[in-house]
Amino acid sequence: MTPENKIHLMTPGPVSVHPEILKALARPMVHHLSQAFNSSLERVLKKLKILFETNQPVYLHTSTGSGAMESAVVNTLSVGDDVLVVESGKFGERWGDICVSYGLKTDRLKVKWGEAVDPSELKQRLLTKKYKALLTQACESSTGVLHPIEELGRVCREFPDTILLVDGISSVGAVKLPMDAWNIDVLVTGSQKALMLPAGLAMIALSEKAWKRTALSNLPKYYWDLKEEAANIKKGRTRFSSSVSIVRAMDVALDLVLSNGLDYYLKHTEKKSLATRRACEIFGLKVFAQRPSPTLTAIELPQGIAGETIIKELEKDCNIFLAGGQDHLAGRIIRIGHMGYIEDEDTVYVLDKLFSLLVKKSPNTFSFDKKESALKTANEILSGK
Ligand SMILES: *Cc1c(COP(=O)(O)O)cnc(C)c1O
């Protein structure tokens, strides 16, 4: 297959699926209460604890990642609770919107898009009220920012009434995010990001402190009720029909991610992002995020170049799928994902085509010479030189 024929899905979710995982997805169906499936499920749940770096059980919801965000809220909070949401982009807004729709008293700590939350400012806010929860993203995928979760966990530890809910949908499995060591009380993720699966499964784990909250929580819930799910898992089954195909594929995915240890796999994502960032800088593009996440790189486009056009042309001519900006960033940034099954030559191919198109659109700003030295550096970083 020539690179032009291959599909280059390099958005920050969904991502390209590893061929071994595709094979698992094609296996014939078995019943979700069969012994054959039960052993897959058991293996997956055991390996997810290693992925989350937690001693607590990890549970599955048959939903996208946002379902687990809603589950996190309805299982741990109660009517009238005060909550504080870090809002630094689209996904921070989503946390806030979920809280508001369940009638929680929702305060938003607004952070300029592209910036990370300041732990000391956050601490000052937590001192103003008895917040029951602090909700944040680990990586805000709309801007490419990685928030300092370890520091936020340390701050939250000083507030015994506050639990820390982290949306790790574009982080778990791609960025260091040890749930127990960093004092995270609820951690959620989704299948179509770092685990290189299709969308359709969400994962959630609760700390001991968060489990105590579930006994008090009075928000309405039926499908998301984790106490019910936990009772069923104890009996060796999921409460509802399992997504048999994706669970079996996750079994394979987790082996790929964990085979040389999680940290080894994280370095792989880190390397792709570093190569991309350095290449963009050499070529003359500015990285948008002040504290960039290794899972995606958002780059600013110079005035006069519309991001939508670039994205459309790359899809049409090169089979490359990148993401644009949302809201006021629409047209102004392009987001390149580093999660999923991406080989080194795929990263270089995408940068090559993107830079070539930019030279064509704006020859006064960009040059082929800069492109060549940018790609050379990217290759060196990727090959570990
Ligand atoms: C992708 C993403 C989501 C949304 O996940 P869905 O699976 O589409 O529901 C939420 N938060 C972050 C940080 C994401 O990257």
Side-chain angles (χ1 to χ4, degrees):
M1 205 185 320
T2 63
E4 282 76 13
N5 294 333
K6 186 172 167 187
I7 291 173
H8 295 273
L9 177 57
M10 274 175 50
T11 58
V15 303
S16 185
V17 178
H18 193 286
E20 289 301 317
I21 299 176
L22 287 175
K23 269 194 231 160
L25 286 166
R27 282 167 55 196
M29 190 52 49
V30 294
H31 197 277
H32 60 271
L33 294 178
S34 65
Q35 287 172 46
F37 177 69
N38 184 261
S39 51
S40 303
L41 180 67
E42 256 180 32
R43 276 197 303 276
V44 162
L45 295 180
K46 209 188 272 171
K47 284 183 275 195
L48 282 174
K49 289 173 61 142
I50 303 172
L51 186 79
F52 276 53
E53 300 188 61
T54 183
N55 284 319
Q56 297 296 327
V58 182
Y59 295 103
L60 299 171
H61 287 303
T62 306
S63 72
T64 69
S66 304
M69 292 170 76
E70 180 156 346
S71 168
V73 169
V74 299
N75 278 291
T76 59
L77 294 163
S78 291
V79 178
D81 278 353
D82 282 299
V83 298
L84 182 62
V85 175
V86 173
E87 190 186 291
S88 65
K90 255 337 229 191
F91 294 108
E93 286 176 6
R94 184 167 301 175
W95 266 138
D97 294 347
I98 294 171
C99 291
V100 167
S101 57
Y102 281 97
L104 299 176
K105 289 188 216 138
T106 309
D107 289 344
R108 302 179 193 239
L109 195 167
K110 296 211 180 198
V111 179
K112 194 170 167 228
W113 288 34
E115 291 178 12
V117 64
D118 172 5
S120 54
E121 188 190 339
L122 183 94
K123 183 173 171 182
Q124 291 312 311
R125 280 295 287 273
L126 289 176
L127 286 166
T128 62
K129 244 183 224 179
K130 279 216 163 198
Y131 286 110
K132 290 288 190 207
L134 170 68
L135 300 93
T136 184
Q137 273 55 48
C139 163
E140 172 53 75
S141 318
S142 61
T143 64
V145 160
L146 186 68
H147 287 301
I149 299 301
E150 185 175 16
E151 283 87 340
L152 299 193
R154 230 176 266 141
V155 168
C156 274
R157 207 170 304 185
E158 298 171 35
F159 297 86
D161 291 330
T162 312
I163 52 171
L164 173 61
L165 276 60
V166 176
D167 165 2
I169 298 176
S170 60
S171 317
V172 174
V175 182
K176 194 79 189 150
L177 203 59
M179 179 171 166
D180 293 358
W182 286 6
N183 203 37
I184 298 169
D185 291 301
V186 183
L187 183 59
V188 304
T189 191
S191 53
Q192 80 278 26
K193 308 266 169 135
L195 289 184
M196 44 194 168
L197 296 160
L201 273 188
M203 293 134 264
I204 181 167
L206 272 60
S207 70
E208 220 168 282
K209 186 173 166 187
W211 272 114
K212 285 196 185 121
R213 286 288 187 81
T214 64
L216 312 169
S217 162
N218 65 5
L219 289 184
K221 51 188 152 294
Y222 180 79
Y223 191 79
W224 304 123
D225 195 330
L226 282 174
K227 290 198 298 297
E228 294 289 336
E229 181 64 20
N232 278 277
I233 287 293
K234 274 214 179 88
K235 291 184 241 156
R237 48 168 291 169
T238 53
R239 181 175 169 213
F240 303 110
S241 299
S242 289
S243 179
V244 169
S245 298
I246 309 185
V247 171
R248 287 187 310 203
M250 190 181 277
D251 197 10
V252 177
L254 287 167
D255 281 344
L256 291 168
V257 169
L258 300 173
S259 58
N260 295 308
L262 179 59
D263 288 347
Y264 179 87
Y265 189 78
L266 302 184
K267 284 206 186 83
H268 183 62
T269 314
E270 176 79 50
K271 202 175 67 172
K272 286 183 277 187
S273 72
L274 187 65
T276 303
R277 282 206 303 275
R278 287 281 175 279
C280 286
E281 283 158 4
I282 292 169
F283 182 66
L285 288 162
K286 197 165 167 278
V287 172
F288 180 70
Q290 289 193 346
R291 194 176 186 275
S293 167
T295 54
L296 74 136
T297 301
I299 48 171
E300 277 182 47
L301 293 171
Q303 289 275 320
I305 297 185
E308 294 92 342
T309 320
I310 301 290
I311 288 169
K312 275 193 194 130
E313 287 188 32
L314 287 174
E315 178 184 343
K316 189 165 73 58
D317 299 333
C318 314
N319 250 334
I320 290 171
F321 297 80
L322 301 178
Q326 292 153 294
D327 288 359
H328 67 277
L329 295 179
R332 285 185 45 208
I333 62 166
I334 284 183
R335 294 175 298 146
I336 306 172
H338 309 303
M339 293 173 288
Y341 174 59
I342 302 171
E343 303 208 81
D344 291 351
E345 59 258 37
D346 300 327
T347 295
V348 177
Y349 172 78
V350 168
L351 293 175
D352 187 357
K353 295 296 175 186
L354 171 65
F355 293 167
S356 297
L357 187 57
L358 288 172
V359 178
K360 203 175 105 192
K361 298 265 176 209
S362 189
N364 295 330
T365 317
F366 302 112
S367 75
F368 283 114
D369 283 352
K370 289 261 174 66
K371 185 193 91 165
E372 288 313 320
S373 58
L375 295 183
K376 185 165 169 274
T377 299
N379 267 315
E380 281 166 6
I381 294 172
L382 289 166
S383 60
K385 274 185 209 145

